[in-house]
Amino acid sequence: MSSNNATRAALAVASGLAMGLAFPKFDYGLLAWVALVPLFYVIEGESMRRVFGWAYLQGFASYLVSLYWIPIPLHDFAGVRMSFAIVPMLLLAGIVAINTAVAIWAGEFVARRTRIPAVLTMPVAWTAVEWIRTYVPAGFPWNLLGYAAYRNLELIQFAEFTGVYGVSALIVFFNAVVYVVIFRRGGYRLQTVSLSALTAIMIALVGFGAWRIDNLKNAPSAGSFKVAMVQGNIPQSLKWDPKFLPESYKVYQDETASAAKRGADLIVWPEAAAVFLFQPDDQYPAELANDAAYRTALLTLARNIGEPVLFGAPALARQDGRLGFYNRAYLVSAKGEVDAHYDKIELVPFGEYVPARAILGYFVNRVVEGFGDLVPGKEQTLFNVKGARLGILICYESIFADFTRREVDEGADVLVNITNDAWYGESSAPYQVLAMAAMRSVETKVPMVRVANTGISALIEPSGQITNRTPLFTRGTVMVDVSWRPVRTVYTIVGDLFAEICFVLSAIGLILAWRWPRTALVEQVLSKSRRLATNGRPH
């Protein structure tokens, strides 16, 4: 490798590392606003093939930092040797890095051939690719760029119009303007106009955000109740051990009884807190008599305390002739009756189900027996509690913006996210999921109660502010006062319209660039020809 290529490679990797460090739990969020500047320098003057390659290297480095936690559950709980457990991390980082490469390549391709400034084409292309990434089969919209700004509350409030995609576009635009101004690219006019536009946009967004947050604080409440967030802190290594079931159940029983005495209107347990089959009826086969006994005990508990209990539990399911399980959330009323249940729809690829099972199932199950046996639910269900309609998100579902938006559009007043992040230890994963969940409240202006087995449990305000946050790996119950307001955001109504517009613009730009490929050299030749013709000289 030549010294020039070595320098470019180092800058691309540095760009990727900076972007990875912008996300939790490193949380150097300011790096996101300049992380792409070295990459823009690297790709300048390079062939389009090399632009793709350098951008891919940047993305790969970024996702290695963001996704380093993937081997942890495979090694600690599935018994996979670490030398093998890192392979899925490398593969996933390599796959997701394609998104970075495509976005940068498309933005640069359109800019070069249409002469539209890259400060415009890059944000649009990046947003289009993030949107596609959310909806492709086995979609994995993890750590979209906009999430790096989750702590900048005043700045991100405009996500109620654009979703997280608008925040991503703003960050890319900021990077592009910084590059143009610092390296004096595109001429004085472009530098002046782009910097002025960026300054005006930032001032307007921060001003709007400050007004919006104050408006939310002072808006009249449509209702409120007191919620007990029960963090059982059951070790993952013992969670599914039948011998440990009496102890784990007693933890939740005692915490629930205590919460009821403290005036809770709703007690929430985490995902799969009930580690026994909780079927929708009393028809248990003989071999599940123990599970039936615990079901009866839980119903009796709710009836005795006189308050509803919302919890996660597995339930048997049969689909396409295959026996599996639902990852289910139940609401048991104060009368000790099952009021409603919801089956998780957005399952974790290669965690809760195997994509293309007919092809990949054999190989996956040779590594982890019984892997990916969950069956997806079919419809989103709202739970009615104390005058509020609750939209339920189980674990991974909180990272899907449109999925959450649809629940709010159907009438959810409060979002409840139950999860179990014990798989990931003290790595970045629990912090990253919390940051992504916070953006859902910003987009919809609906509060979220987030209850995790080992943490992080928290109440997320409609502004995205994370309050009543619990430490990881602690046991206890946190009481929170939850109030909701009759707010209906533009994003709730129109969904991903901003991102869809970016996709259409990117498609049009690529078509135009492909059909009319005017490179900088061609433009120079044409310009010189026009000058000669004007001066009456032969050309």
Side-chain angles (χ1 to χ4, degrees):
M1 180 182 290
S2 68
S3 60
N4 182 49
N5 285 337
T7 300
R8 290 180 187 270
L11 287 172
V13 171
S15 172
L17 295 179
M19 184 171 289
L21 292 172
F23 295 97
K25 66 179 183 180
F26 306 106
D27 262 336
Y28 297 113
L30 289 177
L31 287 177
W33 300 86
V34 294
L36 289 172
V37 173
L39 179 62
F40 292 152
Y41 180 83
V42 166
I43 66 175
E44 185 174 327
E46 293 285 88
S47 68
M48 291 309 304
R49 178 179 296 180
R50 292 172 71 84
V51 167
F52 187 93
W54 294 128
Y56 181 86
L57 179 61
Q58 192 270 3
F60 185 71
S62 173
Y63 287 109
L64 282 183
V65 176
S66 290
L67 303 175
Y68 77 87
W69 46 265
I70 288 177
I72 294 174
L74 294 174
H75 176 264
D76 292 353
F77 303 112
V80 180
R81 288 168 50 186
M82 186 56 75
S83 55
F84 291 131
I86 64 172
V87 174
M89 176 192 68
L90 296 174
L91 288 175
L92 185 57
I95 292 171
V96 182
I98 296 173
N99 295 284
T100 301
V102 170
I104 297 298
W105 180 92
E108 184 70 5
F109 182 72
V110 174
R112 289 187 184 185
R113 296 208 174 187
T114 66
R115 314 303 294 166
I116 299 173
V119 293
L120 297 179
T121 62
M122 285 296 182
V124 172
W126 188 283
T127 304
V129 171
E130 281 196 345
W131 179 72
I132 295 171
R133 175 179 159 190
T134 303
Y135 295 100
V136 294
F140 188 69
W142 193 277
N143 277 359
L144 302 182
L145 187 54
Y147 292 125
Y150 79 101
R151 294 187 298 173
N152 306 120
L153 295 183
E154 287 83 5
L155 185 59
I156 65 175
Q157 294 307 309
F158 78 99
E160 68 174 83
F161 301 101
T162 66
V164 66
Y165 305 107
V167 185
S168 296
L170 176 65
I171 295 175
V172 177
F173 179 61
F174 192 101
N175 275 271
V177 172
V178 169
Y179 174 71
V180 164
V181 172
I182 289 179
F183 292 96
R184 300 185 180 280
R185 297 297 190 261
Y188 178 77
R189 182 179 179 183
L190 176 63
Q191 297 164 30
T192 303
V193 171
S194 59
L195 182 58
S196 299
L198 175 62
T199 303
I201 290 171
M202 296 294 283
I203 291 174
L205 293 181
V206 171
F208 168 78
W211 171 83
R212 191 59 159 131
I213 292 173
D214 184 66
N215 176 264
L216 288 169
K217 289 179 180 178
N218 297 320
S221 170
S224 64
F225 56 14
K226 184 173 288 187
V227 179
M229 305 187 300
V230 182
Q231 186 167 302
N233 193 35
I234 306 300
Q236 194 64 30
S237 57
L238 298 174
K239 185 177 177 70
W240 295 100
D241 185 344
K243 297 178 181 178
F244 191 72
L245 176 55
E247 184 175 340
S248 66
Y249 179 75
K250 189 174 187 306
V251 168
Y252 287 105
Q253 181 184 44
D254 292 347
E255 292 290 339
T256 298
S258 174
K261 292 178 181 178
R262 292 159 61 188
D265 297 308
L266 171 67
I267 295 95
V268 182
W269 299 2
E271 173 190 20
V275 287
F276 50 88
L277 290 173
F278 193 101
Q279 297 302 105
D281 53 46
D282 295 321
Q283 303 302 313
Y284 283 87
E287 60 270 23
L288 294 179
N290 192 51
D291 294 57
Y294 275 102
R295 179 185 190 275
T296 300
L298 203 163
L299 295 175
T300 302
L301 172 64
R303 185 167 58 250
N304 288 342
I305 65 172
E307 299 295 347
V309 179
L310 194 161
F311 62 95
L316 282 173
R318 186 177 296 276
Q319 188 176 76
D320 300 327
R322 179 174 62 87
L323 186 65
F325 300 90
Y326 290 120
N327 187 345
R328 180 170 286 179
Y330 284 98
L331 177 65
V332 173
S333 73
K335 297 179 180 180
E337 300 171 349
V338 177
D339 260 3
H341 72 264
Y342 162 70
D343 296 321
K344 185 178 182 183
I345 296 172
E346 294 286 354
L347 302 179
V348 181
F350 297 106
E352 294 176 321
Y353 81 103
V354 180
R357 171 175 284 274
I359 301 172
L360 301 177
Y362 170 79
F363 300 100
V364 171
N365 285 325
R366 284 178 63 87
V367 178
V368 185
E369 185 177 355
F371 194 75
D373 279 332
L374 293 189
V375 175
K378 294 183 179 179
E379 71 176 298
Q380 293 172 286
T381 306
L382 300 183
F383 293 178
N384 293 298
V385 178
K386 307 287 184 178
R389 289 164 295 181
L390 310 183
I392 310 303
L393 304 168
I394 300 179
C395 190
Y396 178 71
E397 290 179 324
S398 65
I399 78 170
F400 290 89
D402 188 65
F403 184 87
T404 305
R405 178 200 70 81
R406 292 199 304 269
E407 287 200 333
V408 176
D409 194 40
E410 288 296 318
D413 301 306
V414 177
L415 296 168
V416 178
N417 179 208
I418 58 174
T419 186
N420 176 26
D421 296 338
W423 302 96
Y424 311 115
E426 296 189 16
S427 71
S428 294
Y431 298 87
Q432 292 174 0
V433 179
L434 177 64
M436 290 184 274
M439 192 65 77
R440 303 291 81 84
S441 288
V442 178
E443 293 164 340
T444 60
K445 294 296 179 280
V446 169
M448 179 186 294
V449 176
R450 187 173 193 272
V451 185
N453 172 30
T454 56
I456 304 166
S457 301
L459 171 65
I460 303 173
E461 299 288 352
S463 65
Q465 182 180 7
I466 301 169
T467 66
N468 298 277
R469 177 172 173 163
T470 66
L472 283 174
F473 299 102
T474 60
R475 178 174 296 169
T477 299
V478 177
M479 307 290 287
V480 293
D481 292 312
V482 182
S483 59
W484 60 95
R485 296 162 181 80
V487 176
R488 189 173 169 84
T489 68
V490 172
Y491 181 73
T492 300
I493 299 170
V494 304
D496 296 335
L497 181 61
F498 172 79
E500 291 164 355
I501 291 172
C502 288
F503 174 77
V504 171
L505 291 176
S506 295
I508 293 173
L510 287 170
I511 293 171
L512 293 176
W514 190 263
R515 293 189 61 182
W516 291 286
R518 289 191 170 188
T519 63
L521 179 60
V522 171
E523 287 291 339
Q524 292 173 9
V525 171
L526 291 175
S527 178
K528 183 176 180 180
S529 298
R530 285 192 290 268
R531 288 198 305 271
L532 289 172
T534 301
N535 295 331
R537 297 173 185 172
H539 57 281

